[in-house]
């Protein structure tokens, strides 16, 4: 192991380098510093590991030098050469180096894939932004229309989702039928294996068959849910219509998730920077390595003083080499504990920010519900008034509720960490107990999130502390358990359908645009290595935007429902 300024750029053996002073001077830049004894026999130099036996054209990757393997017109080359001299006067093919660099080659292919994806982002980023703006406009339009035509819009939304899924099934069938008889289209996914060029999978009939089966299953599931919940949907429509009126009076609430998003970004940035500082605070640790028996083997050493220490006298073949990054001080031993504490604070901060947003929205919508004459009795700035009340009176309650949830989340992370560490151990009892604990704490986290949400609504309405609000909310929900179960899930399902409609329509539009299937803008669409890169980005971004808008709506429905129950 040796650190160098640059990676080698040529094939060269130590024996051939000794015959040329210029080559030898270049070769010594890859030898151990201080090895300048020209009288030493080449065999002894190699035996003492002062210089490598051979140099290979290499490329830097992750601060390491890997063989510069590349393919040109189907021919494997290393450093623009197809053969190399092995130092014994024999020319060998560079393909013999592939076995030794197999794992490095996978990393290089992944790097090339990442570079192509980055290139696609550089030429399509503005179109991605336009797609996200369209998603924002579609979500806003949907909510505005819902204010006036709640019942009609819900049923239209349900029909549109069914039609979108139906079109997806039809499109998959057409692609499946089009590939019939084409060469190589009947190859199975298992026989093909993993390919870095994902477009290869779209030329297989089995891929489109799988897509069609998945979409058909979703279509059947949506139809069954509609049949069983048709009466409850009418009840949910009444709640949504009232929530539409509330949001119509407090339109600023739709932009409030942006503030929550910015605060979450600050929390993530603080956690990530702290985690990086902790993980990079390690020091280089050097250990004694030797081939013969040595009492100092495996002990820490210092490269600066190693040659003058007793180790070299007792163990002549011992070397002080870099082992790993870490440390042996008390601070370094407790780095994992510090990382867990940093993660705990991250969960606490994130939960506090989300709780602040929920209390603010609940306070604004509760002021609408309890206003005797609407809109005259509604405060001038209900959102800002609720935000001020939350910061001034309820910070401790929010922090306490967030703390409980953060503790459960950290316990879940610790259980996942233990599960990862025990994977190698063949202890079925331990794995069973860990599985049970993970399941129990997952359920506990879901329950606490549900209880906290309703407790925050009671805090916004009455101003009571967290424990009192949680108790009152729980008892109120238990007295209306059937209404809670039906209305909550029906409204969640309707909001999910709304997200599906927004994401599906924008995703289909992005697919036709980036695959040059819209004739009007066929020349405008950029040429891409992988057209799925901007399409997936638009789909994910559209979902996040729709989720932000509908989360406000969901909070409004929950607040009005609790107020109605009270």
């Amino acid at each position: 192991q040796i650190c160098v300024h640059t990676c080698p750029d040529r094939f060269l053996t130590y024996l051939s380098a000794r015959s040329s002073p210029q080559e030898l001077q270049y070769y010594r830049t890859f030898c151990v510093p201080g090895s300048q004894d020209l009288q030493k026999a080449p065999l002894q130099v190699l035996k003492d590991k002062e210089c490598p036996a051979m140099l290979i054209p290499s490329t830097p990757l992750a601060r390491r030098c890997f063989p510069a393997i590349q393919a040109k017109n189907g021919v494997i080359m290393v450093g623009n050469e197809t053969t190399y001299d092995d130092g014994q006067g024999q020319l060998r093919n560079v393909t013999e180096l592939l076995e030794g660099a197999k794992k490095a080659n996978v990393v290089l292919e992944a790097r090339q894939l990442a570079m192509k994806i980055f290139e696609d982002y550089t030429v399509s980023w503005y179109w991605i932004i336009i797609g996200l703006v369209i998603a924002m406009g579609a979500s806003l339009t949907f909510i505005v229309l819902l204010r006036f035509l709640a019942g009609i819009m819900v049923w239209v939304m349900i029909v549109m989702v069914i039609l979108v899924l139906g079109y997806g099934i039809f499109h998959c069938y057409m692609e499946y039928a089009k590939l019939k008889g084409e060469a190589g289209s009947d190859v199975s996914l298992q026989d093909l294996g993993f390919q870095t060029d994902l477009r290869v999978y779209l030329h297989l009939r089995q891929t489109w068959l799988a897509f069609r089966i998945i979409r058909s299953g979703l279509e059947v599931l949506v139809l069954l849910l509609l049949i069983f919940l048709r009466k409850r949907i009418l009840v949910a429509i009444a709640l949504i219509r009232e929530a539409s009126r509330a949001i119509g009076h407090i339109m600023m609430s739709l932009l409030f998730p942006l503030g929550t998003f910015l605060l979450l970004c600050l929390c993530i940035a603080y956690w990530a920077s702290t985690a990086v500082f902790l993980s990079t605070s390690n020091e280089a640790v050097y250990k004694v390595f030797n081939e013969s028996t040595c009492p100092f083997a495996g002990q820490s050493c210092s490269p600066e003083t190693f040659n003058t220490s007793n180790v070299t006298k007792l163990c002549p073949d011992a070397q002080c080499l870099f082992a790993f990054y870490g440390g042996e001080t008390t601070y370094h031993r407790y780095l994992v504990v510090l990382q867990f504490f940093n993660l705990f604070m991250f969960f606490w901060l994130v939960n506090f920010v989300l709780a602040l947003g929920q209390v603010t929205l609940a306070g604004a919508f509760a002021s609408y519900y309890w206003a005797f004459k609407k809109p005259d009795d509604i405060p001038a700035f209900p959102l800002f008034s609720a935000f001020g009340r939350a910061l001034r009176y309820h910070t401790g309650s929010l922090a306490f509720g967030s703390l409980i949830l953060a503790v459960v989340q950290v316990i879940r992370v610790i259980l996942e960490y233990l599960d990862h560490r025990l994977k190698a151990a063949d202890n079925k009892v331990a794995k069973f107990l860990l599985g049970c604990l993970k399941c129990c704490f997952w359920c506990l986290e879901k329950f606490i999130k549900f209880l906290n949400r309703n407790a925050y609504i009671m805090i916004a309405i009455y101003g009571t502390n967290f424990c009192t609000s949680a108790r009152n909310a729980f008892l109120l929900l238990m007295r209306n358990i059937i209404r809670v179960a039906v209305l909550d899930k029906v409204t969640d399902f309707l909001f999910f359908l709304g997200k599906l409609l927004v994401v599906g329509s924008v995703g289909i539009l992005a697919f036709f645009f980036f695959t040059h299937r819209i004739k009007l803008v066929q020349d405008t669409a950029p040429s891409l290595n992988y057209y799925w890169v901007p399409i997936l980005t638009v789909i994910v971004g559209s979902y996040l935007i729709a989720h932000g808008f509908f989360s406000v709506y969901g909070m409004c429905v929950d607040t009005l429902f609790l107020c109605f129950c009270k």
Side-chain angles (χ1 to χ4, degrees):
Q1 297 173 341
I2 185 171
C3 292
V4 294
H5 289 291
T6 56
C7 293
D9 59 1
R10 66 194 77 170
F11 283 107
L12 192 62
T13 62
Y14 181 69
L15 291 175
S16 61
R18 285 179 68 92
S19 60
S20 171
Q22 290 182 345
E23 295 283 11
L24 185 60
Q25 184 179 1
Y26 170 78
Y27 206 97
R28 286 194 176 280
T29 59
F30 303 100
C31 296
V32 176
S35 57
Q36 302 294 333
D37 188 3
L38 299 177
Q39 303 301 322
K40 206 178 224 183
L43 184 60
Q44 191 62 38
V45 171
L46 298 179
K47 187 178 179 181
D48 294 341
K49 297 182 179 178
E50 294 181 2
C51 294
M54 183 180 186
L55 298 181
I56 299 173
S58 305
T59 181
L61 180 67
R63 302 184 68 81
R64 300 290 186 273
C65 291
F66 289 103
I69 300 171
Q70 56 183 330
K72 288 187 177 179
N73 299 324
V75 179
I76 301 297
M77 306 179 75
V78 176
N80 295 322
E81 299 286 342
T82 56
T83 59
Y84 66 95
D85 187 351
D86 65 357
Q88 297 177 346
Q90 184 178 354
L91 288 177
R92 292 180 178 270
N93 197 299
V94 295
T95 54
E96 296 182 25
L97 297 172
L98 288 177
E99 187 63 29
K102 188 175 288 182
K103 292 184 178 179
N105 203 37
V106 172
V107 178
L108 289 171
E109 287 182 359
R111 188 190 187 193
Q112 291 174 358
L113 177 65
M115 290 299 295
K116 288 182 179 179
I117 291 174
F118 180 75
E119 288 174 5
D120 288 343
Y121 276 124
T122 57
V123 297
S124 63
W125 63 270
Y126 42 90
W127 293 110
I128 292 173
I129 292 176
I130 291 173
L132 297 180
V133 170
I134 292 174
M136 190 179 296
S139 301
L140 185 61
T141 303
F142 182 83
I143 288 176
V144 170
L145 290 176
L146 208 61
R147 177 186 174 189
F148 303 103
L149 305 168
I152 296 174
M153 282 297 297
V154 166
W155 291 112
V156 168
M157 173 183 65
I158 293 171
V159 172
M160 287 295 292
V161 168
I162 294 172
L163 290 177
V164 167
L165 287 173
Y167 174 78
I169 297 169
F170 172 75
H171 180 76
C172 292
Y173 171 76
M174 293 301 294
E175 293 288 342
Y176 177 80
K178 190 168 66 174
L179 290 172
K180 186 177 182 180
E182 290 193 12
S185 63
D186 292 323
V187 178
S188 67
L189 294 171
Q190 188 175 0
D191 294 337
L192 182 64
F194 175 73
Q195 301 290 327
T196 54
D197 188 359
L198 300 181
R199 289 177 294 184
V200 174
Y201 295 107
L202 298 178
H203 296 287
L204 301 180
R205 299 187 75 204
Q206 198 175 83
T207 302
W208 292 104
L209 179 63
F211 286 161
R212 190 169 56 149
I213 292 172
I214 293 170
R215 295 195 179 204
S216 300
L218 286 173
E219 182 89 345
V220 172
L221 182 64
V222 170
L223 289 173
L224 287 175
L225 286 173
L226 288 176
I227 291 171
F228 287 109
L229 299 176
R230 64 188 186 280
K231 291 183 179 179
R232 303 300 182 184
I233 288 173
L234 296 174
V235 181
I237 287 172
L239 263 178
I240 291 173
R241 186 178 288 115
E242 190 63 29
S244 302
R245 295 194 189 98
I247 288 183
H249 290 293
I250 313 172
M251 288 295 288
M252 281 294 293
S253 60
L254 294 175
L255 299 178
F256 188 78
L258 291 176
T260 304
F261 174 74
L262 293 176
L263 289 175
L264 288 177
C265 287
L266 288 176
C267 295
I268 294 171
Y270 178 76
W271 164 77
S273 59
T274 306
V276 168
F277 275 120
L278 286 173
S279 59
T280 56
S281 61
N282 290 320
E283 299 171 349
V285 176
Y286 292 84
K287 298 283 185 180
V288 177
F289 290 89
N290 62 292
E291 295 182 358
S292 60
T293 304
C294 180
F296 300 99
Q299 294 184 6
S300 300
C301 59
S302 173
E304 291 81 8
T305 60
F306 183 74
N307 292 329
T308 59
S309 64
N310 292 329
V311 179
T312 54
K313 297 176 182 178
L314 297 173
C315 307
D317 63 338
Q319 291 179 292
C320 185
L321 300 177
F322 168 77
F324 55 87
Y325 275 104
E328 298 177 346
T329 64
T330 305
Y331 166 75
H332 290 102
R333 283 198 295 269
Y334 286 96
L335 264 179
V336 175
V337 178
L338 294 176
Q339 287 283 21
F340 270 114
F341 178 74
N342 182 42
L343 184 66
F344 166 72
M345 291 303 300
F346 168 70
F347 283 141
W348 197 358
L349 283 173
V350 167
N351 290 325
F352 179 82
V353 169
L354 294 175
L356 181 62
Q358 290 174 350
V359 166
T360 302
L361 289 173
F365 295 131
S367 65
Y368 161 83
Y369 183 89
W370 296 111
F372 190 73
K373 293 182 179 179
K374 301 176 179 61
D376 297 336
D377 292 343
I378 300 175
F381 301 100
L383 203 64
F384 292 106
S385 300
F387 184 72
R389 286 196 303 272
L391 285 179
R392 183 176 178 184
Y393 298 111
H394 309 310
T395 308
S397 297
L398 302 182
F400 185 64
S402 306
L403 174 65
I404 296 172
L405 188 56
V407 169
V408 174
Q409 289 171 335
V410 168
I411 292 174
R412 287 193 64 201
V413 171
I414 293 173
L415 290 175
E416 291 290 345
Y417 176 74
L418 292 175
D419 187 37
H420 177 73
R421 294 296 295 269
L422 291 173
K423 270 187 178 178
D426 190 18
N427 191 332
K428 294 183 178 179
V429 176
K431 289 182 179 180
F432 173 75
L433 290 175
L434 269 177
C436 292
L437 286 173
K438 285 163 62 177
C439 179
C440 291
F441 277 96
W442 179 83
C443 295
L444 181 61
E445 182 186 358
K446 293 295 182 184
F447 174 73
I448 289 176
K449 280 184 176 179
F450 175 75
L451 185 62
N452 279 10
R453 181 183 178 92
N454 290 283
Y456 296 147
I457 294 173
M458 298 299 281
I459 288 172
I461 296 172
Y462 291 103
T464 50
N465 61 50
F466 177 80
C467 294
T468 304
S469 300
R471 177 181 175 275
N472 292 338
F474 182 75
L475 294 176
L476 186 61
L477 293 173
M478 288 300 101
R479 290 197 298 269
N480 299 273
I481 188 65
I482 298 178
R483 290 176 178 174
V484 171
V486 174
L487 293 181
D488 189 55
K489 293 307 169 187
V490 168
T491 50
D492 284 348
F493 175 67
L494 292 176
F495 293 145
F496 170 74
L497 289 180
K499 295 175 192 176
L500 200 63
L501 178 63
V502 172
V503 174
S505 57
V506 175
I508 290 173
L509 180 63
F511 173 78
F512 279 105
F513 176 78
F514 287 111
T515 54
H516 302 270
R517 300 193 184 190
I518 303 177
K519 293 184 179 180
L520 292 175
V521 290
Q522 198 169 17
D523 299 330
T524 311
S527 299
L528 304 166
N529 296 307
Y530 308 111
Y531 63 80
W532 53 264
V533 172
I535 293 174
L536 280 181
T537 306
V538 169
I539 289 173
V540 173
S542 300
Y543 176 80
L544 293 176
I545 289 171
H547 177 74
F549 278 91
F550 283 102
S551 65
V552 174
Y553 226 94
M555 196 66 197
C556 182
V557 171
D558 289 347
T559 303
L560 298 184
F561 176 67
L562 269 186
C563 291
F564 162 73
C565 289
K566 195 66 183 178

